[in-house]
Amino acid sequence: MTISYNWLSEYLPVTVEPERLSKILTSLGLEVESMEPYEEFKGGLEGLLIGEVLTAEQHPNADKLKITTVNIGSGEPLSIVCGASNVAAGQKVIVAPVGSTIYPASGEPLTMRVAKIRGVESHGMICADDEIGTGTSHDGILVLPSSSNPGMPASSYFQPYNDWIYEIGLTPNRMDAMSHLGVAKDVCAYLTHHDKKAVKPKLPFGKEFTAGVKPGIDVKIENNSACQRYSGLSLSGVKVGESPKWLIKKLKSIGQRPINNIVDITNFILHETGQPLHAFDAAAITGKKIIVKNLPEGTPFITLDGKERKLSAEDLMICNEEKGMCIAGIFGGAESGVKQTTTDIFLESAWFNPVDIRKTSFRHGLRTDAATRFEKNVDISNTVNVLKRAAQMIIDIAGGQVSSAITDVYPDPAEKKQIHLKYQYLKKLSGKNYQHDTVNNILTSLGFEIVQEGPEDLLVAAPYSKPDISLPADIVEEIMRVDGYDNIEIPQSIMISPSVDTEGYKQVYAEKTANYLVGLGFYEIFTNSITNKAFYNDAELSHAVKMLNSLSAELNIMRPSMLETGLQSVSHNINRKNSNLLFFEFGKTYSVSANGQYGELPHLSLYMTGQTSGDSWKAKGNLANLFYVKGLVKKITELLGIALPVMQNAEHDKLDNSLQAMIGDEQLLILGSVRQQTLAAFDIRQEVWFLDFNWKLLLELARKAKLSVKELARQMPVHRDLALVLEKSTAFDQVEKTIHELKLEKLRSMELFDVFESDKLGAGKKSLAVSFTFLDEEKTLTDKEIDSMMNKIMTSVQKELSAEIRKA
């Protein structure tokens, strides 16, 4: 929310300095996120002077340059070389003397210095409109009226508008502060309480207003829940044109673009009072009737921006007898808007249901200022007051007259919400014992009405401008923010009940795993869980969660898989010459079942591409491969105390060489090399490996794992190596499984340390070299015991795997 200091000050009966005002706003809960000076002309025209061109002679060395002498009111006339074709003696111009700085409408600031141009010294510059930021024209130098006085500062002549602009971070419930007048009411309540004297805002309403007597446009509301009040009146004989300078300056200061006097007035009223208005060209209202209703699904409607939109049956429309003219509370139509030729207008001031406005606004991607006000609710009691204010401004600025009586369709007038507040509850929630008079004064200064007061409680009616107020806690908040949260007393002792974190283990395991991966050279990434449905196939989309109100056309689905969002990060880095990547992410995927049940599943996903270690003088770095990924699986499960189940082949639409581990019917993990077709969709031209853990299941297994601690063995382990000649098709996990089935208690580990293939071994054969570690914690193993276990191993692999024992 943007607030102008000058504009806000018009509604304050006392002067509050900008710095103090900033502190007051933040104390009131209207957090000032920034406070910046505003200059209509950048630099404020500082140092620029009005000059009089005394002479303008042709430059001897350039056809398009002239040598001028310029009187700037004091000292010797300046010699200035000028390239403008329209410079002539006798003109009053803007001069930038040496040492001054100009701020062009586009481009960088330029400080004047003595310059030699084609052999002639120039002591400054005669300026064009765009060179000093007062306009955009560069057709020639800016020529002022002959009555202008040489030596007069340009800032005194143009009187640029300077201001302080506050950016306020509003919470969604503070619709009452979405206008300068609403903020002024809060500031006055603060000053009343803290300065101990009544300070009331200067309201722009209440001026004498004479409405017409003739009946105006007939208004009919067909959808009373979406439009509970509709006010309007007709004006005739108006002249559409440029707004006065004061209005243009105010709107520009808060970032609004002036359009014409009628539209500018409605925008001014919006930012003054928070009430959106809409002006219709009366000629477009056929049948002299306005009907507030919903049109059939798919009805085409062309909006002010020239786009055709297909309406939903839920979109509330402002219609004439024949068709829609405006999307209610959001955006006008191309045919009914005010044009340069418009002379008669119908002015609308209404209350529309916030829920309907928000849905329609997001449905069509129209996030207008009017929509953001209506969707947070507006003051339903103020539609007529605002209407009168706007009509009077139109008469004063655009001429014309009110040509009809005020139409006000309000079939079911809203009643003020009444809230019962107990003083004991106020003390309990605020931590402060407020005096009853203090509570009354704060609430009345905020516009609340004291309905009934007792020794222990209070019944108040909330103003219509605060529709969010409905609970006693809301009243406590109003009192506390005006009093100041910094004024809450700190008690001598605080009683608390310690909480028990039943899910702290999740963070412990996540941090433990993350630290391990970072130690291996991985980087943690965070990707957007809202992504593009174009990345997914029909099978994935069938159970995906679609976004109803997309932030953009490319962010329209909650991700059903972790792979694609991670590949976006991989692609982003590769395209920036960073091709060796090790990424991991803790994230969630989302799904919806056939019966409408939504689900989300936590994951730990790893993405690996390029080298897993860098090149060195001693060795080349290794590329990510299947064995590296399987090694990660083993280390991560060991880290969490989990016995890794047997890996098995898996089928996956987007992975090659994929393996998975199952726990019952649930998939614990899947890994594989991302298929070329999938990589091409992300413009990736190198191999990428993907490992995805079901983090929820992994945590459950880790929590159930029983960890034991025991003394280190006093005996030394014994190592024996064995070379097995096997069929090439025999995987090492078959060897492991065969040996594990022997249940040798003294066998502590086995590691594959070499794979050898040669024709000398025989066709289709390979040699696996395995290292075995044996340990007896009670005594030293004898050669006889070790040989016995090795013989069992050899006999088993020979029998089960048809292995040959390779001799050295």
Side-chain angles (χ1 to χ4, degrees):
M1 175 67 191
T2 305
I3 294 292
S4 155
Y5 171 76
N6 290 347
W7 195 345
L8 179 63
S9 297
E10 293 179 8
Y11 309 113
L12 301 178
V14 295
T15 301
V16 183
E17 294 303 314
E19 283 291 344
R20 187 190 178 202
L21 182 61
S22 175
K23 293 177 181 178
I24 289 174
L25 293 176
T26 298
S27 179
L28 285 164
L30 309 176
E31 183 183 1
V32 176
E33 296 178 341
S34 68
M35 172 186 167
E36 301 289 343
Y38 170 81
E39 296 174 321
E40 183 182 6
F41 308 130
K42 196 171 181 181
L45 306 178
E46 189 69 30
L48 306 188
L49 303 170
I50 293 178
E52 180 181 9
V53 180
L54 302 177
T55 62
E57 305 293 338
Q58 186 65 46
H59 194 295
N61 301 321
D63 294 338
K64 295 185 178 181
L65 299 178
K66 291 183 180 179
I67 303 172
T68 66
T69 54
V70 183
N71 170 27
I72 58 170
S74 62
E76 293 294 321
L78 301 180
S79 174
I80 299 176
V81 177
C82 180
S85 59
N86 65 328
V87 66
Q91 292 174 335
K92 301 293 176 65
V93 294
I94 298 295
V95 178
V98 172
S100 64
T101 301
I102 61 172
Y103 294 83
S106 61
E108 296 297 317
L110 178 64
T111 300
M112 296 296 108
R113 56 185 177 82
V114 178
K116 187 170 283 189
I117 303 175
R118 293 291 183 94
V120 178
E121 281 192 348
S122 180
H123 295 263
M125 179 177 178
I126 302 176
C127 303
D129 242 345
D130 66 331
E131 291 169 337
I132 58 174
T134 56
T136 57
S137 172
H138 195 71
D139 293 338
I141 59 169
L142 177 62
V143 180
L144 303 179
S146 58
S147 59
S148 306
N149 297 320
M152 182 182 186
S155 58
S156 299
Y157 178 83
F158 286 101
Q159 296 185 342
Y161 182 80
N162 297 319
D163 201 350
W164 286 95
I165 301 299
Y166 303 95
E167 285 297 333
I168 296 175
L170 281 182
T171 51
N173 64 318
R174 291 305 311 277
M175 56 71 53
D176 59 303
M178 293 190 72
S179 66
H180 286 77
L181 190 55
V183 173
K185 290 178 180 179
D186 260 17
V187 174
C188 287
Y190 181 94
L191 296 174
T192 296
H193 175 66
H194 290 273
D195 294 353
K196 307 304 179 185
K197 59 180 180 181
V199 180
K200 294 185 177 181
K202 297 159 67 176
L203 301 178
F205 313 119
K207 295 181 181 179
E208 186 176 341
F209 179 84
T210 305
V213 293
K214 295 181 180 179
I217 304 294
D218 183 41
V219 175
K220 181 181 179 182
I221 303 175
E222 291 188 3
N223 188 339
N224 287 305
S225 64
C227 176
Q228 295 181 16
R229 188 174 190 180
Y230 192 99
S231 309
L233 59 76
S234 299
L235 294 100
S236 59
V238 300
K239 185 176 181 181
V240 178
E242 187 179 44
S243 296
K245 287 186 178 180
W246 68 264
L247 180 53
I248 291 174
K249 289 177 178 181
K250 279 190 175 181
L251 292 176
K252 281 186 173 180
S253 71
I254 59 170
Q256 294 292 306
R257 180 176 62 89
I259 298 173
N260 61 52
N261 49 11
I262 305 299
V263 175
D264 291 350
I265 288 169
T266 60
N267 285 335
F268 174 87
I269 293 293
L270 171 74
H271 290 277
E272 179 185 57
T273 68
Q275 172 67 49
L277 301 175
H278 189 73
F280 294 93
D281 186 334
I285 306 175
T286 58
K288 299 297 181 184
K289 287 184 180 180
I290 279 184
I291 306 167
V292 185
K293 63 179 181 178
N294 301 80
L295 294 177
E297 183 76 30
T299 301
F301 180 70
I302 300 175
T303 46
L304 271 173
D305 55 6
K307 294 181 180 179
E308 181 178 281
R309 304 175 191 274
K310 299 294 183 181
L311 299 177
S312 164
E314 296 180 359
D315 296 334
L316 187 67
M317 297 293 294
I318 309 299
C319 309
N320 57 29
E321 265 194 337
E322 300 173 355
K323 56 187 177 181
M325 298 189 295
C326 171
I327 302 178
I330 298 174
F331 210 39
E335 297 180 9
S336 62
V338 173
K339 310 171 188 66
Q340 287 297 119
T341 55
T342 298
T343 57
D344 300 336
I345 64 173
F346 177 77
L347 201 58
E348 165 196 283
S349 177
W351 184 96
F352 299 115
N353 190 297
V355 174
D356 294 314
I357 294 298
R358 184 170 177 81
K359 286 182 177 179
T360 296
S361 173
F362 275 102
R363 187 180 296 119
H364 295 291
L366 293 170
R367 304 298 295 146
T368 61
D369 283 344
T372 57
R373 264 74 177 180
F374 278 124
E375 71 182 23
K376 289 180 174 61
N377 218 328
V378 297
D379 185 349
I380 196 170
S381 71
N382 213 28
T383 59
V384 173
N385 287 334
V386 172
L387 192 66
K388 292 178 181 178
R389 164 79 166 149
Q392 190 60 56
M393 285 187 68
I394 290 174
I395 293 170
D396 294 342
I397 293 172
Q401 60 184 3
V402 177
S403 56
S404 76
I406 293 176
T407 299
D408 185 23
V409 182
Y410 195 11
D412 188 15
E415 294 184 1
K416 288 185 177 180
K417 293 178 184 176
Q418 293 190 356
I419 303 98
H420 182 234
L421 174 68
K422 291 185 177 181
Y423 291 118
Q424 182 60 34
Y425 179 76
L426 170 60
K427 181 180 178 181
K428 177 183 176 182
L429 211 59
S430 68
K432 185 173 180 178
N433 192 15
Y434 284 97
Q435 296 294 323
H436 295 190
D437 288 346
T438 301
V439 173
N440 287 6
N441 291 337
I442 290 176
L443 292 177
T444 52
S445 67
L446 286 171
F448 288 85
E449 178 186 344
I450 308 299
V451 178
Q452 184 179 329
E453 184 178 4
E456 297 181 354
D457 55 9
L458 193 67
L459 183 64
V460 298
Y464 291 108
S465 59
K466 294 180 179 289
D468 65 295
I469 303 292
S470 60
L471 301 171
D474 298 329
I475 303 295
V476 176
E477 180 189 1
E478 294 290 287
I479 295 168
M480 290 179 66
R481 68 182 186 83
V482 172
D483 182 47
Y485 293 114
D486 293 340
N487 294 325
I488 301 300
E489 300 165 359
I490 300 176
Q492 294 295 322
S493 61
I494 299 176
M495 304 295 291
I496 62 171
S497 299
S499 63
V500 178
D501 187 358
T502 58
E503 297 192 346
Y505 71 94
K506 294 181 179 180
Q507 183 61 32
V508 172
Y509 285 130
E511 190 169 339
K512 187 176 182 180
T513 307
N515 288 339
Y516 172 73
L517 291 171
V518 169
L520 290 178
F522 277 78
Y523 289 88
E524 185 170 7
I525 60 173
F526 295 92
T527 60
N528 196 345
S529 56
I530 306 174
T531 185
N532 193 338
K533 70 177 183 181
F535 296 150
Y536 303 94
N537 56 40
D538 291 340
E540 291 170 309
L541 292 175
S542 65
H543 57 80
V545 179
K546 280 82 172 178
M547 300 293 293
L548 295 178
N549 299 317
S550 304
L551 296 175
S552 73
E554 295 181 351
L555 298 173
N556 49 21
I557 191 173
M558 301 292 286
R559 64 182 171 203
S561 160
M562 295 291 293
L563 174 62
E564 291 74 13
T565 51
L567 289 178
Q568 285 182 289
S569 290
V570 171
S571 174
H572 178 85
N573 280 269
I574 291 175
N575 290 337
R576 286 155 181 80
K577 308 300 181 184
N578 186 13
S579 56
N580 298 323
L581 304 171
L582 296 173
F583 288 160
F584 75 95
E585 178 178 15
F586 290 98
K588 292 180 179 179
T589 57
Y590 305 85
S591 62
V592 59
S593 63
N595 61 1
Q597 293 294 315
Y598 290 93
E600 56 182 62
L601 183 66
H603 293 255
L604 167 61
S605 299
L606 285 72
Y607 312 85
M608 297 141 284
T609 185
Q611 294 182 343
T612 59
S613 58
D615 294 336
S616 70
W617 63 272
K618 192 175 182 181
K620 287 278 188 182
N622 296 317
L623 292 173
N625 55 40
L626 176 63
F627 303 106
Y628 176 78
V629 181
K630 287 180 68 177
L632 284 172
V633 171
K634 181 178 179 183
K635 291 298 183 183
I636 291 173
T637 51
E638 285 179 354
L639 184 72
L640 299 178
I642 300 169
L644 178 66
V646 177
M647 303 282 285
Q648 55 189 348
N649 291 328
E651 292 294 328
H652 194 286
D653 291 342
K654 298 179 181 180
L655 299 178
D656 287 325
N657 303 318
S658 56
L659 299 173
Q660 65 180 358
M662 303 294 292
I663 302 293
D665 294 332
E666 285 191 87
Q667 187 184 73
L668 176 64
L669 67 92
I670 188 166
L671 64 88
S673 173
V674 184
R675 289 184 175 174
Q676 289 298 319
Q677 183 179 358
T678 302
L679 294 176
F682 295 90
D683 195 27
I684 298 174
R685 298 180 179 85
Q686 63 186 61
E687 187 176 37
V688 178
W689 285 87
F690 177 61
L691 167 58
D692 185 37
F693 286 97
N694 178 335
W695 185 245
K696 180 182 178 183
L697 182 56
L698 201 64
L699 286 177
E700 291 174 359
L701 295 173
R703 201 176 186 200
K704 293 176 183 177
K706 293 182 180 180
L707 301 181
S708 59
V709 180
K710 62 182 179 180
E711 187 179 354
L712 290 172
R714 296 181 182 182
Q715 310 303 321
M716 295 295 292
V718 179
H719 302 282
R720 290 288 177 90
D721 296 340
L722 184 65
L724 307 173
V725 178
L726 300 157
E727 296 291 333
K728 282 187 179 181
S729 60
T730 304
F732 178 66
D733 63 353
Q734 293 176 263
V735 176
E736 285 184 304
K737 184 178 179 182
T738 300
I739 296 173
H740 280 310
E741 287 176 351
L742 294 174
K743 296 181 180 179
L744 300 173
E745 292 182 7
K746 305 297 189 292
L747 176 62
R748 293 307 168 92
S749 68
M750 69 181 94
E751 296 289 339
L752 175 68
F753 67 88
D754 186 49
V755 178
F756 175 70
E757 295 181 6
S758 171
D759 292 338
K760 295 179 180 179
L761 298 174
K765 298 289 185 178
K766 67 179 178 182
S767 173
L768 302 182
V770 186
S771 175
F772 298 92
T773 301
F774 300 95
L775 177 65
D776 188 332
E777 295 180 1
E778 301 298 327
K779 63 182 179 63
T780 302
L781 287 169
T782 64
D783 287 341
K784 184 177 179 181
E785 290 174 316
I786 296 169
D787 289 341
S788 174
M789 288 186 285
M790 288 298 296
N791 287 331
K792 287 181 180 180
I793 291 171
M794 288 187 286
T795 301
S796 179
V797 295
Q798 286 174 328
K799 179 181 178 182
E800 300 295 334
L801 303 176
S802 302
E804 298 176 24
I805 307 304
R806 187 180 172 204
K807 304 295 184 182

